[in-house]
Amino acid sequence: MNIDPSFILAVWNFGNLTMLGWLAAAALPWIIHRWMRRPQHTTHWAAVDLLQAAIQNSSRRNQIQQLTLLAIRTLVLILLVVAAADPFSSNTIFGSALAERTHRILIVDQSTSMNCSQDDGTRLDRAKTLAQKLVDSGNPGDTFSVIGFSHTAQNVLGRPNRDKSLVLAAIRGLSQSHTVANVSAAIQGANAAIDSSDKTVAQYEIILFTDLGRNSWTLDPSTKAQIDALAQRAKLTLFKVGDQQRDNIAIVDLTVEPTIILQDQDVEIVAQVRNFEKRSYDALTLELFVDGQFRESKRVDLSANTAADVRFITRFVSEGSHNVQVAVTNANDCQALDDYRWLTTKVLRQLKIACVEGTPHAANDLARALAPGQPSPDNSSIGIVPQVIPASRLPQLDLTNYAAVFFCDVADLSSNETAHTTRYIEQGGNLVVFLGENTSPVQWNELVRDDGTPMLPVQIGSLVENEEVHFDPLDYRHPIVAPFRGRPASGLMHVAIWKYFRLATREDYPAAEIALAIDNGDPAIVVGPCVLGRVAVVALPCSLAARTAVGTPWSSFAVNPSFLPVVRDLVDELVGTSQQLKGNILVGDPLVCRWNSISQPTELRMRMPNGNLRQLPLPGSEDRGQIRFAESFTSGIYRLTANGNVIETIAVNLDPTESDLTTVNSVTLPTSLRMPSTKVAQFQQSDSLQRYAKCLLAAVFLLLIAESTVAWLLGRR
Amino acid sequence: MQVSEHLDPESISRLQGLELRAKAIVDGFLSGMHRSLQRGQSVEFTEHREYAPGDDLRYVDWKVFAKTDKVYLKQFESETNLVCHLLLDISESMSYQGDLSPLSKLEYGQCLAAAMAYVVLHQRDSVSLTTFDNAVRDMVRESGNPAHLRKLTDCMQNAQSQQPSDLGGVFHELSKRLVHRGIVVVVSDCLGDLDSLLSGLKHLRHQRHEVIVLHLLDPREVDFRFSRSTLFRGLEQHPTVLAEPRTVRKAYLALLAEFLERLQAGCRSLQVDYQFVRTDEPFDQVLRRVLVSQKTQRGPR
């Protein structure tokens, strides 16, 4: 078989002039040897017989030693040239022959912190560059998968691919995400990639490129176990990109007070700005924008590793959704994404509340508490507008018109009423149940939603009638009673209670919270979430109508000065918080938009923060009036339009944990995770190739020792 | 200034003329002696002299001491009955001079021979000189006249040869030609056939000569310290040899030691006084070794 020598030279690394030059250097010892053998000194000599005899005696041994030394020196040079030529590189014939076929799964962190700028671009840029180098240096038979991960993991190539150009294109296409890195998702993605791999692959290598952000890589035991299990299937390697500590200033929170925002009322926008650096910042400028219009600018000094609240007072002159943005304009830090934060506020002209009473006048005290000084609020009123409605009208009532519904001494609910009510709650409505003498505990306890879970967060027990007891504020921990802290004159602690329903939290409702208790330990007010809405149960009636056996009211709560603020706090907690929560989420959380189900749109679109419009499928009959949008991967304002009109605005913000650019110490990571140098060249060779390279180096080392020893022995003579 | 400083080869090499060198050596040598090592072999009494510390008590005239209570030594009429035959090797190998030595082996040997001649003449004995390589080249008959030294030194200074040496053959020949029995002093590097050399020495001893071999070697020939690859151009028609001195030094020194050992053993067996002399050795040390050795072997006279 004829082999073209130029082909061999081309595929082996010696096929260039530099390497051939180095190879010629291997002849140096011979040249030096010959040169050293030429006479450098001439003298007459008398004892020639002795000299000749000495030469004869030692010539054979000398020749052997000289040749040995010469051979060692030549071999050292040849091996060094071979090492420099890197014949075992995967790009050479030798390398290809020795390398085992490998499926390399490249996992690139796309989380927010990877947007941090460094000298050579962002961390993501660096990760992509490293990944591309690794692909370039791969063996011809290797296959690749490319997985980008942040809060989820996505295999952007689909099936493993051998086409390097496609793999490189997939890496180049990885974009920055605004979400948090989810290590578990990355592991699951890697497992899936292995499962989909060709079974003829000899080995798997998983290479992670990440900044090892502390918020994501502080691993719990289960995740560590997942990594160890993955290491049983593949060799795990992690390339850390990014510096240990980078400067960063971030707005980590943006809130509004009060949570229920009414038209033409002053509100306070509170921006929390945090300095994650080790140095102080003076005169940081924060600017407030409402609906894109500049409103106000404030300055703040921040010490190292501290946070500060910056407060803006503003008001909204029109009802509806408004977009609030606060920006740090002179941070000059490495992470620009978190220098902004958005907030959507729903400004109301009226806050309608339905007060459904089971017995006549049961809701009167409540209505007065909600709208004091307004004997009969109507549609022209501004502020909270309570409407007292008999329970018999509940089936005809469109609850979606009300921000909250109060049930006052309602005996029970029919199945239609239950479905009606649970639907309202699940879509984000708020329900408060004041129990009373007509309440049927058994009936209420059996009320369940469609999925079988209970509607109320508590189990209503028997009536308790005894000596006078009082409230226990539970250290004023809950927001409903928190304003009473330090205000004994508010009367909350003086409410006399003689009769109430004993409430018990349910094991199948773990998110329920006791906001207020009775001093014997029984709960008095329990609040719990229910899908998108919230439900509160009060163990007492909201009027004085109900009487004990001795003729006293069940409690003095309805006439106590604390009744009004408690009721208002309940509304704030339920309505205000839910509204703010609905309009403000973190990236990666699904957007749930709700509208009046009566007006079914014919076209739904989502305008993304970058201005692009995304056509959305119309919801089915089961989801009338609401839609979920899961692709909230970018921070900013999302606007849902129905038939061309904006019907919902939602602010999506970064997870503030991503603003802390501190990295974890590698010793906390599982030992199964290798962390080589970030120089891909040192990593790219497979184990077998590295073995040969190590043997080469060991041979050079041994030869150098042998050369020194032989030379020393000859020098002694 | 130390005497030896005058007598080291480097100092002597600065002097012009062999006779002058010889006198410088011997004068310096004698002035450093505490007492004369030379005791004449005369038997006729001439005079007394007072005893001096260090004098041999055997020559005290006890009769005078008994009469006068003074210690006198008996002085005898000097009568020459010793003949010293100097045999100087002038073969080409003797012309070698290493870089550590100020004199070639031949020059060193000439100085040494002249000094010994001067010593002998100084004590009114006779001395002869023979120069040789592979044959006898020149010969000055023995004489006890002090003016004889000039003849000897002239002969030595003119001696030069490109021929190899044949010590054994020359010694056999001289055994027949040296009719007066005496002390034969051989000054040579002794390079050549060792068996032939010993055979020649044996013949000299057979003629009842006392033989002293002054074996001259250059320091370079003794230690063979060359650092670089060297081309050795052979003297006495030997071939040119290229060698890496560091690699052959050990073998060379072993062979040299073996040669010297054989030579010394041969001399011992023939009762020949063998003296190994490096050409960087001070002359007085060599002379002292020779004379002390002679005294030890022959006893006092």
Side-chain angles (χ1 to χ4, degrees):
Chain A
M1 186 177 69
N2 293 328
I3 298 175
D4 184 1
S6 63
F7 167 75
I8 296 174
L9 288 176
V11 294
W12 199 23
N13 282 3
F14 287 122
N16 62 68
L17 284 177
T18 308
M19 286 299 109
L20 288 171
W22 277 105
L23 196 60
L28 271 177
W30 289 95
I31 296 169
I32 293 171
H33 179 72
R34 299 305 304 177
W35 183 78
M36 291 292 287
R37 279 183 63 82
R38 78 176 174 78
Q40 299 174 35
H41 178 232
T42 302
T43 184
H44 288 94
W45 193 250
V48 175
D49 288 340
L50 284 175
L51 180 58
Q52 283 183 313
I55 291 172
Q56 194 171 1
N57 285 354
S58 57
S59 63
R60 184 175 298 275
R61 189 174 57 186
N62 282 338
Q63 275 183 350
I64 291 172
Q65 287 174 339
Q66 291 287 346
L67 287 175
T68 303
L69 196 59
L70 191 61
I72 290 172
R73 287 171 176 166
T74 307
L75 206 53
V76 167
L77 273 175
I78 289 174
L79 288 178
L80 284 175
V81 172
V82 168
D86 196 12
F88 301 127
S89 163
S90 52
N91 291 328
T92 64
I93 285 180
F94 290 157
S96 300
L98 294 171
E100 294 166 326
R101 196 163 158 245
T102 305
H103 178 188
R104 290 202 164 102
I105 301 163
L106 312 177
I107 303 177
V108 180
D109 185 353
Q110 298 171 280
S111 63
T112 310
S113 58
M114 293 288 282
N115 188 58
C116 176
S117 297
Q118 301 181 162
D119 298 337
D120 51 352
T122 64
R123 292 175 174 177
L124 180 63
D125 292 337
R126 193 173 181 196
K128 287 159 72 173
T129 303
L130 286 172
Q132 287 173 322
K133 281 183 182 174
L134 200 141
V135 172
D136 281 335
S137 61
N139 299 318
D142 288 349
T143 55
F144 293 91
S145 293
V146 179
I147 296 175
F149 84 100
S150 50
H151 70 298
T152 59
Q154 186 186 10
N155 189 333
V156 293
L157 269 179
R159 293 192 58 79
N161 206 307
R162 289 185 192 175
D163 188 339
K164 286 187 177 180
S165 60
L166 282 178
V167 178
L168 292 173
I171 293 172
R172 280 194 297 272
L174 291 172
S175 60
Q176 182 70 58
S177 165
H178 291 191
T179 54
V180 178
N182 183 343
V183 178
S184 289
I187 295 169
Q188 288 169 11
N191 276 313
I194 293 174
D195 293 338
S196 67
S197 177
D198 182 358
K199 300 307 175 194
T200 60
V201 168
Q203 60 180 357
Y204 298 95
E205 287 183 9
I206 295 170
I207 305 107
L208 274 155
F209 302 89
T210 178
D211 59 359
L212 281 180
R214 187 169 61 182
N215 64 320
S216 304
W217 286 92
T218 305
L219 303 175
D220 54 43
S222 68
T223 309
K224 287 183 178 177
Q226 287 178 359
I227 291 175
D228 289 337
L230 186 60
Q232 301 294 318
R233 306 184 70 187
K235 187 168 76 176
L236 295 180
T237 305
L238 187 146
F239 282 105
K240 182 183 176 185
V241 293
D243 303 326
Q244 176 65 26
Q245 180 68 43
R246 302 293 295 183
D247 298 343
N248 194 27
I249 295 285
I251 300 177
V252 295
D253 197 16
L254 187 61
T255 57
V256 59
E257 296 173 2
T259 51
I260 296 174
I261 305 170
L262 296 174
Q263 184 182 324
D264 292 326
Q265 289 185 358
D266 282 347
V267 295
E268 196 173 49
I269 308 290
V270 183
Q272 187 181 64
V273 57
R274 176 170 282 277
N275 179 8
F276 290 96
E277 300 185 28
K278 291 180 178 175
R279 65 184 178 96
S280 301
Y281 264 93
D282 295 332
L284 273 176
T285 303
L286 279 78
E287 294 182 347
L288 172 69
F289 297 84
V290 175
D291 295 328
Q293 301 295 316
F294 173 77
R295 283 282 180 91
E296 192 179 357
S297 167
K298 292 212 169 183
R299 293 196 168 189
V300 63
D301 297 335
L302 269 184
S303 303
N305 285 315
T306 58
D309 288 342
V310 180
R311 297 173 184 275
F312 299 90
I313 305 296
T314 189
R315 63 169 54 191
F316 300 94
V317 295
S318 61
E319 63 177 332
S321 289
H322 294 274
N323 304 322
V324 177
Q325 183 193 21
V326 175
V328 183
T329 58
N330 59 346
N332 293 325
D333 54 358
C334 74
Q335 177 65 286
L337 284 176
D338 54 13
D339 293 344
Y340 306 85
R341 206 159 186 89
W342 289 268
L343 177 72
T344 59
T345 57
K346 192 152 284 181
V347 178
L348 303 170
R349 189 168 184 277
Q350 287 185 336
L351 186 70
K352 285 187 177 179
I353 294 177
C355 302
V356 180
E357 53 186 11
T359 56
H361 313 298
N364 285 355
D365 292 337
L366 175 67
R368 274 194 294 275
L370 289 169
Q374 295 184 33
S376 57
D378 56 22
N379 285 340
S380 63
S381 303
I382 293 178
I384 296 178
V385 178
Q387 290 184 355
V388 177
I389 300 164
S392 57
R393 286 182 53 205
L394 186 60
Q396 293 83 40
L397 203 63
D398 184 1
L399 296 179
T400 57
N401 289 328
Y402 298 95
V405 175
F406 282 73
F407 283 171
C408 305
D409 196 19
V410 174
D412 61 2
L413 299 177
S414 67
S415 58
N416 283 342
E417 291 169 339
T418 303
H420 193 46
T421 306
T422 53
R423 184 177 183 78
Y424 163 71
I425 300 168
E426 288 172 0
Q427 290 184 349
N430 302 289
L431 176 67
V432 181
V433 180
F434 278 94
L435 303 179
E437 59 185 348
N438 289 322
T439 300
S440 169
V442 176
Q443 298 293 328
W444 277 100
N445 288 334
E446 290 177 351
L447 295 180
V448 293
R449 289 158 43 201
D450 291 344
D451 61 359
T453 56
M455 191 173 77
L456 300 184
V458 293
Q459 183 85 25
I460 303 173
S462 59
L463 274 168
V464 179
E465 186 172 356
N466 49 18
E467 295 296 316
E468 181 181 323
V469 291
H470 300 91
F471 282 135
D472 174 5
L474 302 176
D475 292 334
Y476 303 99
R477 285 193 299 269
H478 199 274
I480 292 175
V481 294
F484 292 94
R485 182 190 296 276
R487 291 171 178 166
S490 63
L492 180 66
M493 303 307 295
H494 301 129
V495 173
I497 302 168
W498 294 280
K499 190 173 181 179
Y500 64 94
F501 276 101
R502 175 163 286 152
L503 304 181
T505 53
R506 312 177 74 124
E507 289 183 359
D508 50 356
Y509 214 118
E513 297 173 324
I514 299 173
L516 185 64
I518 296 170
D519 57 9
N520 60 8
D522 290 334
I525 299 177
V526 178
V527 183
C530 179
V531 191
L532 297 178
R534 304 185 85 188
V535 179
V537 178
V538 185
L540 306 170
C542 57
S543 74
L544 299 177
R547 296 286 166 167
T548 62
V550 295
T552 62
W554 280 27
S555 78
S556 63
F557 189 33
V559 295
N560 188 277
S562 64
F563 181 66
L564 186 147
V566 167
V567 169
R568 295 294 292 262
D569 287 346
L570 260 173
V571 173
D572 274 353
E573 170 65 13
L574 299 183
V575 179
T577 305
S578 66
Q579 284 204 354
Q580 297 306 327
L581 287 175
K582 277 185 288 186
N584 299 281
I585 61 173
L586 296 179
V587 285
D589 292 342
L591 275 67
V592 180
C593 304
R594 191 163 61 96
W595 64 91
N596 191 337
S597 60
I598 294 170
S599 55
Q600 177 68 7
T602 56
E603 183 191 53
L604 281 176
R605 287 185 174 183
M606 182 67 79
R607 184 175 289 279
M608 312 293 281
N610 59 5
N612 293 341
L613 270 175
R614 184 78 59 84
Q615 186 81 34
L616 303 181
L618 292 174
S621 57
E622 293 181 354
D623 295 326
R624 286 171 67 87
Q626 75 168 25
I627 192 165
R628 288 170 65 89
F629 180 72
E631 298 174 39
S632 59
F633 301 144
T634 308
S635 59
I637 300 294
Y638 289 72
R639 295 178 178 85
L640 179 67
T641 62
N643 303 332
N645 300 316
V646 177
I647 59 171
E648 189 75 84
T649 304
I650 295 178
V652 177
N653 284 299
L654 297 174
D655 189 327
T657 60
E658 283 285 305
S659 297
D660 184 358
L661 299 178
T662 310
T663 58
V664 296
N665 192 329
S666 57
V667 298
T668 64
L669 299 176
T671 53
S672 54
L673 207 53
R674 284 198 311 157
M675 284 190 65
S677 157
T678 51
K679 291 179 182 173
V680 169
Q682 295 176 3
F683 162 78
Q684 64 196 13
Q685 292 176 339
S686 67
D687 280 350
S688 56
L689 298 185
Q690 288 179 356
R691 255 194 322 271
Y692 289 110
K694 283 179 182 174
C695 289
L696 205 64
L697 285 175
V700 170
F701 180 68
L702 291 175
L703 284 173
L704 285 174
I705 291 177
E707 193 271 346
S708 303
T709 309
V710 173
W712 177 72
L713 288 173
L714 288 179
R716 287 179 61 197
R717 294 167 60 84
Chain B
M1 185 177 287
Q2 295 292 317
V3 172
S4 59
E5 289 182 17
H6 289 292
L7 303 180
D8 64 63
E10 190 169 357
S11 303
I12 296 302
S13 68
R14 296 192 199 107
L15 300 177
Q16 295 297 318
L18 188 55
E19 185 177 355
L20 181 61
R21 290 181 178 181
K23 287 181 176 176
I25 293 168
V26 176
D27 290 346
F29 167 67
L30 292 178
S31 65
M33 302 290 285
H34 291 292
R35 69 183 180 93
S36 172
L37 291 175
Q38 303 302 315
R39 290 179 292 275
Q41 223 170 342
S42 304
V43 293
E44 291 183 19
F45 171 79
T46 54
E47 58 183 350
H48 285 97
R49 70 169 173 84
E50 281 190 340
Y51 173 80
D55 285 340
D56 195 337
L57 292 177
R58 287 179 297 176
Y59 303 108
V60 172
D61 191 335
W62 299 107
K63 293 178 180 174
V64 175
F65 176 69
K67 292 175 182 172
T68 64
D69 206 21
K70 291 182 180 177
V71 181
Y72 285 94
L73 295 184
K74 288 186 283 189
Q75 298 283 292
F76 297 92
E77 179 72 26
S78 175
E79 182 182 279
T80 300
N81 60 355
L82 181 137
V83 180
C84 177
H85 303 288
L86 295 172
L87 309 186
L88 178 63
D89 184 356
I90 60 166
S91 64
E92 191 178 18
S93 66
M94 288 291 285
S95 65
Y96 178 74
Q97 177 183 357
D99 55 351
L100 295 179
S101 177
L103 298 170
S104 68
K105 288 187 284 185
L106 180 59
E107 290 169 332
Y108 192 94
Q110 287 170 338
C111 291
L112 203 54
M116 295 193 72
Y118 185 62
V119 170
V120 172
L121 291 173
H122 186 71
Q123 60 187 23
R124 299 173 188 176
D125 286 331
S126 296
V127 61
S128 72
L129 172 69
T130 303
T131 59
F132 66 93
D133 42 36
N134 55 0
V136 174
R137 293 300 169 195
D138 202 352
M139 183 176 254
V140 179
R141 294 206 169 273
E142 66 267 25
S143 170
N145 190 331
H148 188 55
L149 181 63
R150 174 63 58 85
K151 287 183 183 175
L152 297 176
T153 55
D154 288 346
C155 176
M156 281 191 272
Q157 278 179 324
N158 295 329
Q160 196 167 7
S161 171
Q162 302 293 321
Q163 298 298 317
S165 61
D166 178 12
L167 296 172
V170 169
F171 291 167
H172 282 302
E173 182 184 346
L174 289 175
S175 298
K176 299 168 187 171
R177 293 174 65 175
L178 298 178
V179 291
H180 291 103
R181 185 164 55 87
I183 297 174
V184 176
V185 178
V186 178
V187 181
S188 170
D189 57 9
C190 298
L191 295 176
D193 186 357
L194 184 57
D195 293 333
S196 171
L197 165 64
L198 293 175
S199 171
L201 292 176
K202 186 176 182 181
H203 198 169
L204 287 172
R205 285 290 295 146
H206 183 73
Q207 296 300 325
R208 302 225 179 152
H209 292 294
E210 292 183 27
V211 181
I212 300 171
V213 173
L214 299 180
H215 185 192
L216 306 185
L217 283 180
D218 189 89
R220 281 289 183 222
E221 290 175 322
V222 177
D223 57 25
F224 201 68
R225 289 197 183 279
F226 298 94
S227 57
R228 296 172 294 176
S229 178
T230 304
L231 190 66
F232 295 92
R233 295 189 185 282
L235 299 171
E236 297 187 2
Q237 300 169 6
H238 280 297
T240 297
V241 176
L242 176 64
E244 177 58 53
R246 285 179 300 183
T247 62
V248 300
R249 181 170 180 267
K250 191 173 181 181
Y252 173 87
L253 293 180
L255 287 171
L256 178 64
E258 181 189 348
F259 175 81
L260 295 178
E261 177 62 31
R262 283 182 60 202
L263 179 56
Q264 286 177 354
C267 290
R268 242 188 340 264
S269 65
L270 296 174
Q271 293 183 316
V272 170
D273 183 11
Y274 171 85
Q275 297 295 331
F276 177 77
V277 180
R278 285 169 58 114
T279 56
D280 57 352
E281 193 173 358
F283 289 103
D284 59 325
Q285 287 185 16
V286 180
L287 288 175
R288 184 175 293 114
R289 275 199 286 134
V290 172
L291 295 179
V292 168
S293 173
Q294 280 299 299
K295 177 190 172 190
T296 305
Q297 287 187 5
R298 298 171 62 197
R301 288 187 296 180

